[in-house]
Amino acid sequence: GCQQLPGVQSPIPRRGGEDAPPNPKKAAPPMNNKNAQTLNDNRDFVRIYRRGQCQVAPLLVTYARRGPRNRRRVGITATKKVGGAVQRNLAKRLIRAAWREVEREAPSGWDYIFVARARTTGAKMQQVREVMSAQLRRATAPSDAKKSHEQKR
């Protein structure tokens, strides 16, 4: 970022100063009583999109990348391609419900982003859960297992 010269006062007050109120989104509460935390910062999403493992299916796209130890961080998103606000919220609820059931099998120490697709809204939660579970297994498999899977293709 920009560095300020010593003794020069910025005319624009900076956000996040000592007197600023705490940002409730920064300290995101866990999604449930497990050790998952919600991803909120755009820079986290961008980092995972660029450097994470991507698994694509007609119902769901999953991005996974190593993150903080002993924690799972989860982001769920639905673009306008999914539909209007009602359809996007339905898709996110389906993904959240599937995550609650699959979370125990997802390894800790990873960041996950689930992206809803147009077909997500017409699917049953069990279908989304099965796709999510398979994608998580593939995305978080050890790298040598991924290489042998790629060679079989």
Side-chain angles (χ1 to χ4, degrees):
C2 298
Q3 290 185 351
Q4 193 170 353
L5 296 173
V8 176
Q9 199 67 12
S10 173
I12 302 169
R14 291 185 176 222
R15 294 182 71 203
E18 292 127 38
D19 56 340
N23 184 349
K25 284 190 171 186
K26 291 290 182 191
M31 287 182 71
N32 54 27
N33 59 1
K34 309 293 182 294
N35 62 352
Q37 184 179 7
T38 306
L39 284 170
N40 287 318
D41 283 347
N42 183 49
R43 68 175 171 235
D44 289 333
F45 277 83
V46 170
R47 179 177 49 86
I48 296 166
Y49 286 143
R50 286 186 182 154
R51 297 197 180 122
Q53 295 287 329
C54 179
Q55 301 292 324
V56 181
L59 293 180
L60 183 70
V61 178
T62 300
Y63 292 88
R65 184 172 195 269
R66 290 230 178 248
R69 281 188 179 177
N70 303 322
R71 241 185 2 189
R72 297 178 194 100
R73 297 191 308 171
V74 180
I76 298 173
T77 183
T79 66
K80 287 190 177 181
K81 289 181 186 179
V82 173
V86 173
Q87 287 83 17
R88 292 195 308 269
N89 287 331
L90 171 63
K92 290 191 284 187
R93 280 198 309 271
L94 282 168
I95 293 170
R96 245 182 257 117
W99 170 252
R100 279 193 293 271
E101 293 194 9
V102 173
E103 181 180 2
R104 285 177 214 86
E105 36 183 284
S108 291
W110 286 78
D111 291 342
Y112 303 101
I113 295 177
F114 300 107
V115 181
R117 301 194 78 185
R119 293 187 188 177
T120 307
T121 56
K124 301 280 186 198
M125 191 275 292
Q126 288 80 11
Q127 294 171 304
V128 176
R129 183 188 65 217
E130 289 169 11
V131 169
M132 182 183 289
S133 181
Q135 288 179 336
L136 288 173
R137 276 194 304 274
R138 284 194 306 267
T140 60
S143 57
D144 55 333
K146 287 179 194 165
K147 288 175 187 169
S148 66
H149 177 72
E150 291 295 322
Q151 289 172 353
K152 290 178 185 176
R153 286 186 169 180

